[in-house]
């Protein structure tokens, strides 16, 4: 991968993500916040966080593949959810999708996303 | 310029004026602070979302001009609004007047921005292209005399970008430092950022962009000022401050993520 991983014993992640990543080459890819849309533009899993999270990570993977990479190329993701109670379902979906360690990560609970039916949005930065 | 639009044909994003993803060869990049609809005197422009959005993009245009670039070269935008209906009614159309090309985009509805009357804040990442050779790694500048403790634009000339996870007030043993204590959490978060930067060969001066997510801007302001000043010692990054209803654990009052660059 065209980036390296930074870790330090003084500051530790609170879950299975990386503390920091440093780009060492390749192209820098900025990915829009992905929501639970299918290819036709329908919302997948209305009211169902597990289903939405799975769709979001599949969409993220699709964008990465179109750029010549895959989930392993992600340096950083930011996950925005609308209800903290949904976090366990998100964590479950993330560990299903990501083989091994996650990228550097931020999790934020926002007031809402850009459509009231969206429960989760994930944006990413990658080196490909 | 060596910009590539990814999945450009996907109709979902094109209808809304953005792109699923954009990749660049990161030779020279500009990171802007989150800007809002303030007038030169610091007061928010009157008239609600439409005028605030127009003013926000005019100010961003000023920041872009100083770097001799324009909206067509924006690769990523982050739009924070506090009122989605107002944005859809009058903000989105103002934005469209400024953008020709489509950047990657994230849009969020947050609880509050720096001023309770602010309805919109926008930050950008811009591909400046050209050669980084001979230029300093970081060029920090202001397009306006704003008096705040941040720069409106930071240019990264070459080097390697460093993306930190959002830092919270957690101890190495997993416990939360300063439960209910804003000042202690401010100290711990900046301490953790410092540790990670050091491990990566960077310093606070290496920070390009800072995004601060807090549960209360009211409580955060006085707690953070001395801690943040001591951390940056005058060498501030571009920054954004947003109030949101929650973080990953209920004890966390603040989360700060930074992007840095090293040679």
């Amino acid at each position: 991968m065209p980036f390296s991983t930074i870790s330090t014993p003084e500051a530790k992640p609170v879950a299975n993500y990386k503390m920091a990543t440093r780009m060492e080459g390749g192209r820098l890819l900025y990915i829009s916040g992905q929501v639970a849309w299918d290819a036709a533009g329908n919302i997948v899993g209305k009211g169902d966080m597990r289903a939405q999270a799975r769709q979001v990570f599949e969409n993220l993977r699709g964008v990465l593949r179109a750029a010549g990479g895959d989930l392993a190329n992600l340096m950083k993701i930011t996950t925005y959810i609308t209800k903290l109670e949904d976090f366990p379902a998100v964590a479950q979906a993330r560990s299903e999708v990501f083989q091994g360690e996650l990228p550097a990560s931020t999790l934020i609970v926002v007031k809402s996303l850009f459509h009231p039916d969206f429960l989760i949005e994930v944006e990413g930065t990658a080196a490909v | 310029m060596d910009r590539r639009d990814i999945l450009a044909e996907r109709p979902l994003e094109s209808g809304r004026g953005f792109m699923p993803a954009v990749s660049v060869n990161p030779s020279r990049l500009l990171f802007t602070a989150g800007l809002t609809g303030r007038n030169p005197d610091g007061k928010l422009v009157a008239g609600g979302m439409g005028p605030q959005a127009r003013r926000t993009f005019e100010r961003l245009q000023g920041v872009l001009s100083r770097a001799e670039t324009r909206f067509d070269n924006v690769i990523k935008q982050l739009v924070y609004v506090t009122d989605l209906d107002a944005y859809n009614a009058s903000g989105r159309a103002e934005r469209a007047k400024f953008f020709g090309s489509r950047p990657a985009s994230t849009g969020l509805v947050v609880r509050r921005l720096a001023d309770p009357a602010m309805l919109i804040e926008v930050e950008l990442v811009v591909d400046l292209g050209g050669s980084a050779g001979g230029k300093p790694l970081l060029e920090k500048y202001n397009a306006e005399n704003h008096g705040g403790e941040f720069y409106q634009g930071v240019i990264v000339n070459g080097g390697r970008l460093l993306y930190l996870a959002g830092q919270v007030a957690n101890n190495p043993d997993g416990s939360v430092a300063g439960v209910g204590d804003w000042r202690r959490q401010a100290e711990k978060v900046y301490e953790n950022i410092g540790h990670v930067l050091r491990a990566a060969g960077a310093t606070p001066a290496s920070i390009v962009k800072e995004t601060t997510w807090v549960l209360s801007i009211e409580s955060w302001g006085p707690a953070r000022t001395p801690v943040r000043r001591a951390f940056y010692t005058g060498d501030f990054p571009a920054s954004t401050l947003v109030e949101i209803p929650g973080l990953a654990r209920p004890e966390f009052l603040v989360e700060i993520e930074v992007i840095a660059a090293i040679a």
Side-chain angles (χ1 to χ4, degrees):
Chain A
M1 280 304 136
F3 64 87
S4 57
T5 299
I6 312 299
S7 61
T8 166
E10 291 98 343
K12 283 190 182 156
V14 296
N16 66 329
Y17 57 85
K18 291 166 186 161
M19 215 49 176
T21 50
R22 187 176 58 212
M23 195 174 181
E24 311 287 359
R27 296 177 63 81
L28 177 64
L29 178 72
Y30 269 93
I31 305 169
S32 292
Q34 297 295 306
V35 290
W37 268 329
D38 65 15
N42 304 307
I43 293 175
V44 174
K46 196 170 166 178
D48 178 351
M49 178 53 114
R50 276 291 289 281
Q52 288 208 11
R54 272 199 297 268
Q55 183 69 38
V56 163
F57 289 115
E58 282 313 315
N59 289 352
L60 200 56
R61 194 202 317 258
V63 174
L64 279 154
R65 284 186 175 163
D70 211 321
L71 290 172
N73 291 83
L74 282 171
M75 297 174 67
K76 169 74 177 39
I77 58 170
T78 309
T79 303
Y80 304 99
I81 58 178
T82 54
K83 293 197 295 284
L84 184 55
E85 317 75 280
D86 284 341
F87 186 38
V90 178
Q92 178 69 37
R94 288 209 301 210
S95 52
E96 283 166 18
V97 170
F98 284 85
Q99 306 298 313
E101 225 182 341
L102 287 154
S105 172
T106 299
L107 180 96
I108 303 293
V109 183
V110 292
K111 201 165 108 183
S112 85
L113 297 165
F114 264 47
H115 187 288
D117 289 337
F118 293 139
L119 304 174
I120 175 171
E121 176 160 346
V122 180
E123 63 170 14
T125 309
V128 291
Chain B
M1 297 283 164
D2 179 29
R3 172 197 179 113
R4 288 180 204 160
D5 296 339
I6 311 297
L7 290 174
E9 75 284 2
R10 222 161 67 167
L12 293 170
E13 291 85 0
S14 62
R16 293 176 150 227
F18 64 91
M19 195 66 71
V22 177
S23 81
V24 294
N25 195 347
S27 62
R28 296 179 65 235
L29 295 170
L30 164 66
F31 291 80
T32 78
L35 292 194
T36 59
R38 287 187 200 272
N39 277 317
D41 62 4
K43 290 207 178 75
L44 209 53
V45 70
M49 175 62 87
Q52 283 195 28
R54 188 180 324 119
R55 177 77 191 134
T56 297
F57 287 105
E58 280 169 9
R59 294 180 70 209
L60 284 165
Q61 191 154 50
V63 175
L64 267 49
S65 297
R66 278 288 302 270
E68 296 175 344
T69 189
R70 51 204 167 85
F71 281 99
D72 285 351
N73 299 323
V74 173
I75 56 175
K76 175 73 201 294
Q77 65 167 6
L78 222 155
V79 179
Y80 308 89
V81 302
T82 57
D83 183 340
L84 181 59
D85 291 338
Y87 181 70
N88 286 332
S90 59
R92 197 181 288 280
E94 291 299 330
R95 178 204 167 273
K97 293 175 191 166
F98 288 84
F99 278 88
S101 72
R102 293 152 50 195
S105 172
T106 297
L108 303 171
V109 185
V110 298
R111 201 158 66 181
R112 203 202 118 161
L113 299 167
D115 178 323
M118 275 173 187
L119 301 172
I120 181 168
E121 175 158 353
V122 180
E123 62 178 55
L124 306 172
V125 184
V126 192
D127 177 31
L128 298 181
S131 164
K135 297 187 173 72
L137 178 63
L138 296 185
E139 292 175 58
K140 302 180 177 185
Y141 67 90
N142 287 311
E144 299 163 351
N145 227 334
H146 57 80
E149 296 184 329
F150 65 92
Y151 282 97
Q152 292 182 319
V154 178
I155 296 171
V156 184
N157 293 307
R160 290 174 290 164
L161 290 170
L162 176 69
Y163 286 86
L164 269 67
Q167 300 296 308
V168 287
N170 62 315
N171 293 309
D173 66 4
S175 60
V176 177
V179 175
D181 181 343
W182 285 91
R183 173 66 183 254
R184 180 68 199 117
Q185 291 213 6
E187 289 166 354
K188 188 64 188 172
V189 169
Y190 279 106
E191 190 184 307
N192 284 343
I193 293 171
H195 285 309
V196 181
L197 289 174
R198 261 193 299 286
T203 68
S206 317
I207 296 179
V208 173
K209 174 71 184 26
E210 174 191 65
T211 307
T212 304
W213 307 90
V214 294
L215 299 194
S216 163
I217 286 178
E218 208 73 28
S219 305
W220 173 245
R224 80 149 174 185
T225 300
V227 177
R228 190 168 175 273
R229 278 182 188 159
F231 181 76
Y232 285 112
T233 59
D235 204 346
F236 292 105
S239 73
T240 301
L241 170 65
V242 181
E243 181 177 304
I244 37 85
L247 294 164
R249 286 172 65 168
E251 298 91 337
F252 295 145
L253 302 172
V254 52
E255 175 155 352
I256 302 178
E257 61 168 48
V258 301
I259 300 168
I262 57 171

